Amino acid sequence: MEGEMMINEDLVVIPTYNEATNVRTLVRHVLDHQPFPVLIVDDDSPDGTGRIADRLATENPARVSVLHRGSKDGLVAAYRDGLSRVSLCARGE
């Protein structure tokens, strides 16, 4: 996972696939209105969503992290992998 995120009890997981036109607005809205960290899980979007997510993580390293997945496996798999990664980080693994 890119960057080091502070993990508390609340987290916003945003699965993405071809959301280059929306991801910046969505993440900005969460950051502006909620105190929670954000994990963007990108399903190997060919439209540049992953690069935009990386920029957001660079701009907000304490609150935004990115998990890049190597294939488009769907929404449920994106949530599962994202939450699994956060669980491992919370345990220090």
Side-chain angles (χ1 to χ4, degrees), residues 18-86:
N18 286 346
E19 294 293 339
T21 59
N22 302 313
V23 69
R24 182 172 288 280
T25 301
L26 176 58
V27 170
R28 284 276 160 235
H29 184 77
V30 172
L31 295 178
D32 289 347
H33 295 94
Q34 301 295 328
F36 313 127
V38 173
L39 172 61
I40 303 167
V41 181
D42 186 58
D43 261 8
D44 199 29
S45 299
D47 71 343
T49 300
R51 287 188 305 276
I52 295 168
D54 287 339
R55 274 185 258 146
L56 291 166
T58 298
E59 294 166 6
N60 305 280
R63 296 208 40 216
V64 178
S65 290
V66 181
L67 174 60
H68 294 279
R69 292 164 24 97
S71 62
K72 183 177 182 273
D73 293 327
L75 183 64
V76 172
Y79 275 119
R80 182 196 64 228
D81 288 354
L83 294 173
S84 176
R85 179 62 67 92
V86 168

